[in-house]
Amino acid sequence: YREDKMKKIITILSTLFFISLAEADEMKYEKIGQWNIALDNPTQMVDKSRIMTLFTGGTITLGDGGGVIKACIEDGHLYARSIDVNIRCYVELDDNSTMLLEYVAKLVPDETFWDLFPNGVLTTPPNVGLKYWNGEFKMATVSEKYAWVNDNVIVGIGLELQGMKDGKDGYALYDLYALKH
């Protein structure tokens, strides 16, 4: 009796697994805009592996509009082979509403990253300073025009990352995609 019950459970779990694989193959996405955050303040070390940064500029485009990034705070971790960042931003939208934007990303540097980025040299995945760089964006707003972002899973694909140099701001540029079923 127990063996039969286990076989049924394994069969059900296997079926669910294969259904989820089929669904994953059909995952669709739609480009919805860009995120361009100004890297306008130096990164501060909090301890041996943790960083903190304040950002006070940049833009976001969403469909046929967008907004201005007013302030962001970064909480990041430097690991042996990757960098994880968690950023929260206050954004003023073009319809005079505001947005809270939360952004979590993983950057995997290549062997040249620490020579390029701190010196203000443009880095781009997959082969100029970065192996890969992706993020998840959560957006919340009461704006009628942008209410659709509240209900979407949004993925950012990192395009360009440039550090500050000689007092000139750097930037981080992403394409933004909404996942669709």
Side-chain angles (χ1 to χ4, degrees):
Y1 174 75
R2 284 179 114 167
E3 272 185 45
D4 287 339
K5 197 170 188 177
M6 283 301 283
K7 285 181 184 178
K8 285 181 184 179
I9 291 172
I10 290 172
T11 301
I12 291 169
L13 291 174
S14 297
T15 302
L16 291 173
F17 174 74
F18 287 113
I19 289 171
S20 68
L21 283 179
E23 290 290 321
D25 286 343
E26 295 176 19
M27 179 94 44
K28 295 176 179 76
Y29 56 92
E30 172 188 350
K31 185 172 178 188
I32 60 165
Q34 281 195 327
W35 169 255
N36 187 351
I37 188 169
L39 306 182
D40 56 356
N41 282 300
T43 297
Q44 305 296 318
M45 294 301 295
V46 177
D47 63 27
K48 291 181 182 179
S49 65
R50 194 168 185 185
I51 59 173
M52 177 182 73
T53 314
L54 173 67
F55 305 114
T56 59
T59 59
I60 186 169
T61 58
L62 296 167
D64 63 350
V68 176
I69 302 161
K70 291 298 185 175
C72 302
I73 188 75
E74 173 183 44
D75 178 13
H77 296 271
L78 306 176
Y79 299 106
R81 294 191 178 119
S82 66
I83 303 167
D84 289 351
V85 297
N86 186 329
I87 298 176
R88 287 181 155 225
C89 299
Y90 173 85
V91 179
E92 288 184 356
L93 298 170
D94 58 12
D95 65 354
N96 296 317
S97 63
T98 58
M99 172 187 288
L100 171 63
L101 186 145
E102 296 178 84
Y103 144 60
V104 178
K106 178 172 286 293
L107 297 86
V108 177
D110 69 16
E111 58 281 346
T112 66
F113 179 80
W114 295 110
D115 293 326
L116 301 176
F117 178 74
N119 292 309
V121 177
L122 182 66
T123 60
T124 59
N127 54 18
V128 180
L130 292 165
K131 292 179 183 177
Y132 69 86
W133 170 32
N134 299 309
E136 177 206 7
F137 289 74
K138 292 181 185 175
M139 301 177 194
T141 183
V142 295
S143 166
E144 289 184 29
K145 180 178 179 181
Y146 297 105
W148 57 271
V149 300
N150 296 329
D151 302 324
N152 279 280
V153 174
I154 299 170
V155 174
I157 305 298
L159 302 175
E160 298 177 355
L161 179 63
Q162 185 169 10
M164 296 172 65
K165 182 176 182 178
D166 300 327
K168 184 179 176 195
D169 293 351
Y171 68 96
L173 178 65
Y174 279 87
D175 275 342
L176 301 177
Y177 297 87
L179 299 182
K180 303 291 181 186
H181 290 284

